[in-house]
Amino acid sequence: MKSAEIRTRFLEYFRERGHRVVKSSSLIPDDPTLLLTNAGMVQFKPYFLGLVKPEFTRATTCQKCVRTTDIEKVGRTARHLTFFEMLGNFSFGDYYKKEAILWAWEFLTVEMGLDPNRMYCSVFREDEEAYLIWRDVVGVPEDRLVRLGEEDNFWDMGTTGPCGPCSEIIYDLGQEFGCGKPECRVGCDCDRYLELWNLVFMQFDRDEKGELHPLPAKNIDTGLGLERLASVLQGVATNFETDNLAAVLEAVCRLSGVRYGEDEESDVSLKIVADHSRAFTFMVGDGILPSNEDRGYILRRLIRRAVRHGRLLGIDRLFLPELVDVVVETMGEAYPELQQNRAFINSIVRSEEERFTQTLRSGLTYFRQAVEKLRVEGGRTIPGEVAFHLHDTLGFPLELTRELAREEGFALDEEGFEALMEEQRERARAARLEEGYSAPIQEIYAEVLENFGESEFTGYETVSDHGRLVALVREGRAVAQASEGEEVELFLDRTPFYGEMGGQVGDTGFVRSPSGEARVLDAYRPAKGLISHRARVERGKLVVGDAVDAEVDQERRRAVQRNHTATHLLHYALRQVLGEHAKQAGSLVEPQRLRFDFTHYAPLTREELHRVEELANRLIIEDYPVRAYVTTYEYAVSINAVALFGEKYGDYVRVVEVDEISRELCGGTHVARTGEIGLLAVVSEGSIGANMRRIEAVTGTEAYRYFRRRMEMLEDMANALRVDLDGLPQRVERLRQRVRELEVELRRKEREGMAALADGGISWQEDRPAGMSVLYAEVPGLDAQALRELAERTLARRKAAAIAVASPEGEKVGLVVALSPQLVDAGLSAVELVRKAAAVLGGGGGGRPDMAVGGGSGREKAGEALRLVSAEIRRTLEGAHA
């Protein structure tokens, strides 16, 4: 039975039993406590916590998941994966243990035809209710019922959150898959006893102190691993041989020329590359981009790990995009977002592979040198400094360094690495705290939603409206009123204020009641369906229940609308000029400017940028109508409306059309006609990361002011050079040519002056160790280049063996040492001599063995530093002749 059929039959089985079939949520969870969606229940967490009332009480899904907690086991066991599909059925205060157990057993034994005599069931040691259901209702013999402890049969999704006892259905694959130990039984780590389905009886919420609190209702959360079930039904030994994964594994074998099943270590690499390819394809497909933080770091780690194991298999070229294509072809029908974003996924993965390939060779060389040095010194632990350099400079994830160390038989000083990373980690942690909400804040917004419902947004039609003040929140707590001078959050039953979303900033303005007035400083959305108005009471007081007038700052709103519609025109123009791969990756729409991020692999040429700007302005001049309407997501896709990559959309979406030219899914506010934008000026274009570009632009009055400022600058330059504007380019070019001529003349005179100095303009002091001439002197006023030239000329003209020159300038001292080839062959190094002399000056230096430059701040010690150089040369030479 193919994986696609298993998926379909599971969902249909539970649909027939009253469950709503819910599509897989994104791998980017709506949960600040999680980096990635790692279980089917993640999208339903608010239902389990009672924060949101569900539209249905039963659901079933096939959820795409990524977990990296056991990444070291991937490829080394038959079952561990980083990406997998989780089949699940859920109850939100509806049915409980009996129904969940009976349906799971029936689906496996009747619908899938598994042999019940090969199945075991585990229960939490204290869960007598589940034990009796398995024994007395289902009829499982007691010798195939196992009681296990909290580690195995009490489920949670992290240190906090929903949790509860669970019951697992385990399939006995037979002795040939076992470890052979006499004590091998259910719970053994070997591959014989395969956990298929975990039934979680979710009834608690664990707080930050680890204490358990009963949930508002008892719930069911189950997870059946699709790949695991497929391996049993398809009669294969591992997940990697099931139909979906086997296609990727075969592609890795073809690319590497390595056959699966012939060598244990090669098999590990083959399986790692196959597994990771699925994981990073789906992650990029959901809008995750490689970075050095959070989920982007996990993605980068998976891609780079796959590249390294590809190299171990002998693949010495770019190959990951070919595996992306196999994943899309294999799983694109079930997950259409892969097909829709195929080109973008390929470009991101290719870019990341190219970047890492450039550093992999140098990183491995650096690591091997460190290992060889340790072997010579008798050490057995890779220092934290080595791991940090590999991570910070060469982009090696710590896990890769750990893996390399283990392969070489070395330990890794992870404490030292962590100490070096602590400052960066603290910054990242602080940033996450600033971006997130604490648990009490979330609860207060849930209370507002529960008690008063969603905010009705009327701002598409009007910028002023009448409503009622339904709630006031100050410092995370609900208050009955707010007085003059206080800053609070206002919640209205209906509001024209746009809450920040989709890159568009929130509105500002005023909320007035009979008893007071508040200035709205910002509007944002703390929860789906809820608009918060951050405000300061400027007169009187506001009281919950007041009838209010809400008025948006109209001039500011119009400026924002001009910029927002302009981003759509820019998006269209970029696709026309650069190609369809140029997709929006983010934006910021403010009153004064717009910022538009898009995918592209190279800087825009001046000609391309001019074409983009000209096309956008042509659309403005033509004064096309702009329309917005709500329709189904399926219809929007059918008319080729552009969706923001990585964004999550429901069944109904809002489409913004510019005539028949541009269609985008967008919830923002826009002008009625493009002519209202007036003018668009691109201010800058640049890179913000691999394959990611950013354009900043201004529109309307700001665009006029931008061009006016540029014109005034040109006029001022023309006046200063006493030419008209048309003659300015030629005059500037003549001046540039004259500057070049003068620089050549100046350099010639400097060389003549330096030659004169070298020929006799300096009172050199001479030392003759071992019969060789060592000259040194202080020459004020020379920079580093002049010092080097003086030393080179003097070394050649005086036929000296060594030259040392110090040049005091203010409180600083420059220093240069030049050595003849004879002294270098004798074992002397100009770099070492400069560093020792510069240490006297409180500084440092560097360069080549025959020429090095340094300096410091101890002007009064310049002579001492020069004498040190001479003394060091004498010591070395006379020691060699002793």
Side-chain angles (χ1 to χ4, degrees):
M1 189 183 297
K2 299 296 184 184
S3 297
E5 183 180 350
I6 297 171
R7 190 188 299 117
T8 299
R9 289 176 64 172
F10 179 89
L11 297 175
E12 192 57 34
Y13 177 87
F14 282 99
R15 186 204 300 272
E16 293 171 354
R17 285 153 183 80
H19 293 66
R20 171 80 66 88
V21 177
V22 179
K23 67 180 180 181
S24 172
S25 66
S26 169
L27 287 172
I28 304 175
D30 287 323
D31 186 338
T33 68
L34 293 175
L35 290 180
L36 293 165
T37 300
N38 59 7
M41 61 79 62
V42 170
Q43 66 172 309
F44 304 121
K45 184 177 175 181
Y47 299 166
F48 289 128
L49 289 173
L51 297 176
V52 177
K53 186 176 182 180
E55 301 173 14
F56 39 83
T57 58
R58 300 179 180 187
T60 183
T61 66
C62 180
Q63 175 66 50
K64 51 191 175 184
C65 299
V66 170
R67 293 182 192 170
T68 57
T69 49
D70 292 323
I71 193 172
E72 301 298 336
K73 296 180 181 179
V74 172
R76 300 187 181 278
T77 72
R79 310 300 167 199
H80 284 91
L81 302 170
T82 57
F83 173 86
F84 56 93
E85 294 180 85
M86 183 69 78
L87 301 166
N89 58 289
F90 308 89
S91 166
F92 314 117
D94 189 343
Y95 62 84
Y96 200 46
K97 293 182 183 180
K98 182 177 179 181
E99 294 89 340
I101 289 172
L102 286 170
W103 285 335
W105 186 261
E106 181 184 64
F107 179 78
L108 291 178
T109 59
V110 179
E111 189 75 14
M112 295 288 102
L114 296 188
D115 182 359
N117 295 316
R118 299 183 68 171
M119 285 155 62
Y120 291 78
C121 303
S122 68
V123 298
F124 183 50
R125 63 189 172 215
E126 300 169 15
D127 192 352
E128 191 67 23
E129 180 184 3
Y131 185 91
L132 293 177
I133 294 172
W134 282 118
R135 188 190 70 180
D136 300 339
V137 181
V138 178
V140 178
E142 288 191 344
D143 62 354
R144 282 192 279 114
L145 288 175
V146 183
R147 295 181 187 268
L148 295 175
E150 186 169 341
E151 182 177 347
D152 296 294
N153 277 74
F154 194 92
W155 188 93
D156 56 49
M157 65 176 299
T159 55
T160 62
C163 56
C166 63
S167 184
E168 297 173 345
I169 301 177
I170 299 156
Y171 190 82
D172 183 0
L173 294 171
Q175 292 184 359
E176 62 272 26
F177 289 89
C179 56
K181 298 177 182 177
E183 64 272 18
C184 182
R185 58 179 57 87
V186 172
C188 184
D189 288 336
C190 71
D191 288 330
R192 174 174 178 176
Y193 296 100
L194 175 63
E195 176 202 329
L196 285 179
W197 205 335
N198 190 11
L199 314 177
V200 180
F201 311 126
M202 198 174 296
Q203 60 193 78
F204 300 112
D205 179 21
R206 178 181 281 134
D207 64 21
E208 294 178 352
K209 297 179 180 179
E211 297 175 357
L212 299 178
H213 305 279
L215 289 168
K218 294 181 178 180
N219 307 297
I220 290 294
D221 159 31
T222 84
L224 168 62
L226 175 57
E227 291 85 357
R228 295 191 177 196
L229 179 56
S231 71
V232 174
L233 294 172
Q234 294 172 15
V236 294
T238 73
N239 286 348
F240 296 91
E241 296 163 57
T242 58
D243 57 326
N244 282 346
L245 257 170
V248 189
L249 187 66
E250 289 166 6
V252 183
C253 291
R254 174 176 51 78
L255 290 167
S256 64
V258 176
R259 296 179 63 179
Y260 178 65
E262 292 188 348
D263 178 78
E264 185 175 343
E265 283 306 308
S266 292
D267 283 354
V268 169
S269 291
L270 288 169
K271 289 186 282 189
I272 286 174
V273 175
D275 166 80
H276 290 10
S277 296
R278 290 210 310 171
F280 62 64
T281 297
F282 273 86
M283 290 173 75
V284 178
D286 275 357
I288 301 170
L289 297 176
S291 72
N292 288 327
E293 294 183 1
D294 300 332
R295 61 179 67 94
Y297 174 74
I298 295 173
L299 171 60
R300 173 162 285 168
R301 174 186 175 192
L302 291 169
I303 293 175
R304 296 188 169 188
R305 204 163 182 258
V307 172
R308 177 175 175 266
H309 280 277
R311 296 296 181 270
L312 292 177
L313 292 168
I315 308 175
D316 57 0
R317 62 178 180 85
L318 295 178
F319 69 100
L320 294 186
E322 296 180 50
L323 298 180
V324 168
D325 289 337
V326 176
V327 175
V328 174
E329 289 163 9
T330 305
M331 306 190 72
E333 184 175 347
Y335 299 96
E337 63 270 22
L338 295 182
Q339 296 174 335
Q340 295 165 7
N341 299 309
R342 182 177 192 156
F344 182 73
I345 298 170
N346 263 317
S347 69
I348 294 300
V349 171
R350 177 181 291 105
S351 174
E352 186 66 16
E353 183 176 4
E354 287 173 344
R355 292 178 65 194
F356 186 54
T357 298
Q358 293 170 0
T359 62
L360 182 59
R361 183 178 291 110
S362 57
L364 291 175
T365 299
Y366 176 81
F367 177 81
R368 292 189 184 107
Q369 289 173 345
V371 167
E372 289 305 316
K373 182 180 178 183
L374 281 173
R375 286 198 171 110
V376 170
E377 297 172 351
R380 301 303 303 169
T381 300
I382 305 294
E385 292 87 350
V386 171
F388 182 77
H389 177 79
L390 285 166
H391 176 278
D392 194 56
T393 304
L394 300 176
F396 273 45
L398 177 64
E399 295 77 12
L400 176 54
T401 305
R402 184 189 297 130
E403 193 172 310
L404 290 168
R406 185 174 61 247
E407 290 171 1
E408 295 289 342
F410 280 73
L412 178 63
D413 177 17
E414 296 195 30
E415 289 186 5
F417 172 83
E418 289 296 339
L420 292 168
M421 288 290 292
E422 186 59 32
E423 184 177 347
Q424 290 165 279
R425 186 178 295 108
E426 285 296 329
R427 286 197 298 268
R429 187 179 297 122
R432 285 196 296 271
L433 289 173
E434 288 176 5
E435 293 172 0
Y437 299 109
S438 62
I441 297 294
Q442 285 184 325
E443 289 174 7
I444 190 62
Y445 297 140
E447 289 175 10
V448 173
L449 276 170
E450 179 69 25
N451 293 321
F452 308 108
E454 297 184 356
S455 309
E456 181 185 353
F457 176 60
T458 61
Y460 292 135
E461 298 81 26
T462 183
V463 290
S464 61
D465 204 351
H466 309 291
R468 185 166 299 279
L469 179 61
V470 297
L472 285 166
V473 172
R474 184 172 58 240
E475 296 178 355
R477 300 183 65 179
V479 294
Q481 64 181 38
S483 302
E484 186 172 325
E486 292 183 334
E487 292 196 4
V488 290
E489 293 184 62
L490 314 176
F491 295 90
L492 313 180
D493 60 346
R494 53 189 286 121
T495 177
F497 283 81
Y498 183 85
E500 181 175 349
M501 183 177 66
Q504 178 176 329
V505 297
D507 282 329
T508 63
F510 289 91
V511 171
R512 300 180 177 92
S513 76
S515 59
E517 177 181 279
R519 179 184 293 275
V520 177
L521 308 173
D522 186 23
Y524 78 108
R525 301 168 190 259
K528 185 178 179 181
L530 199 61
I531 297 177
S532 169
H533 308 71
R534 290 195 181 106
R536 180 174 59 248
V537 181
E538 296 197 335
R539 178 180 59 80
K541 63 181 179 179
L542 295 180
V543 180
V544 172
D546 279 352
V548 296
D549 293 321
E551 183 178 342
V552 173
D553 182 333
Q554 297 185 43
E555 184 175 349
R556 183 177 182 275
R557 164 74 82 83
R558 282 195 294 267
V560 170
Q561 290 178 170
R562 286 194 293 268
N563 284 336
H564 201 156
T565 306
T567 64
H568 288 218
L569 302 186
L570 261 181
H571 196 184
Y572 172 80
L574 285 164
R575 296 200 310 277
Q576 295 301 305
V577 173
L578 304 178
E580 290 299 317
H581 68 276
K583 293 186 177 181
Q584 180 176 350
S587 67
L588 174 66
V589 181
E590 296 180 321
Q592 298 82 16
R593 63 173 181 137
L594 67 90
R595 190 178 73 204
F596 189 81
D597 300 338
F598 60 100
T599 56
H600 189 54
Y601 47 80
L604 271 66
T605 65
R606 183 162 66 175
E607 179 187 359
E608 287 172 334
L609 203 56
H610 288 173
R611 288 168 59 196
V612 168
E613 187 179 61
E614 181 179 344
L615 178 52
N617 278 293
R618 191 184 307 157
L619 298 175
I620 292 169
I621 293 169
E622 292 295 333
D623 195 27
Y624 289 110
V626 180
R627 299 178 293 269
Y629 54 87
V630 175
T631 185
T632 64
Y633 179 77
E634 288 74 15
Y635 178 73
V637 171
S638 73
I639 61 174
N640 297 319
V642 177
L644 179 60
F645 188 75
E647 188 62 75
K648 304 166 189 175
Y649 297 101
D651 295 333
Y652 291 90
V653 294
R654 185 170 182 263
V655 177
V656 174
E657 286 184 343
V658 178
D659 196 53
E660 298 298 322
I661 297 169
S662 165
R663 290 190 182 96
E664 295 195 26
L665 305 190
C666 180
T669 61
H670 290 268
V671 298
R673 302 188 69 88
T674 59
E676 295 177 35
I677 299 171
L679 180 66
L680 180 143
V682 174
V683 175
S684 66
E685 187 276 335
S687 171
I688 55 170
N691 297 319
M692 300 289 288
R693 312 294 300 174
R694 170 173 291 169
I695 280 179
E696 296 201 14
V698 288
T699 66
T701 304
E702 290 295 331
Y704 167 77
R705 290 171 180 162
Y706 173 78
F707 284 122
R708 183 67 260 171
R709 286 193 301 271
R710 294 303 183 272
M711 183 59 70
E712 288 172 354
M713 290 170 58
L714 289 172
E715 291 171 347
D716 290 343
M717 290 172 61
N719 291 335
L721 297 175
R722 298 180 181 178
V723 295
D724 58 24
L725 284 177
D726 292 336
L728 185 59
Q730 293 84 355
R731 185 58 183 274
V732 169
E733 182 55 36
R734 286 199 298 272
L735 287 173
R736 288 179 60 194
Q737 180 62 33
R738 182 58 180 152
V739 168
R740 285 194 292 267
E741 293 170 355
L742 291 172
E743 286 176 343
V744 170
E745 179 66 16
L746 178 61
R747 195 71 191 130
R748 184 183 64 79
K749 290 185 177 298
E750 286 177 346
R751 285 196 299 270
E752 291 176 353
M754 201 59 63
L757 282 175
D759 286 338
I762 298 174
S763 298
W764 295 97
Q765 297 186 56
E766 184 176 14
D767 192 6
R768 300 188 63 83
M772 295 187 183
S773 175
V774 177
L775 300 177
Y776 57 94
E778 291 186 45
V779 185
L782 300 183
D783 61 15
Q785 178 61 34
L787 276 172
R788 282 194 295 267
E789 191 166 334
L790 174 61
E792 288 174 347
R793 285 178 176 273
T794 305
L795 193 67
R797 289 170 183 260
R798 295 290 187 110
K799 296 182 180 179
I803 300 292
V805 184
S807 181
E809 183 70 26
E811 295 299 319
K812 303 290 184 180
V813 180
L815 182 69
V816 66
V817 173
L819 303 180
S820 67
Q822 187 177 2
L823 289 189
V824 175
D825 292 341
L828 283 160
S829 168
V831 175
E832 293 181 6
L833 291 171
V834 158
R835 286 177 178 167
K836 288 180 179 180
V840 173
L841 304 172
R848 307 189 310 267
D850 63 328
M851 171 75 73
V853 177
S857 58
R859 176 180 181 135
E860 70 283 354
K861 295 186 177 181
E864 181 184 344
L866 291 171
R867 289 189 293 275
L868 174 64
V869 172
S870 179
E872 286 291 319
I873 294 174
R874 174 178 291 281
R875 183 179 62 79
T876 300
L877 293 178
E878 293 180 350
H881 287 82

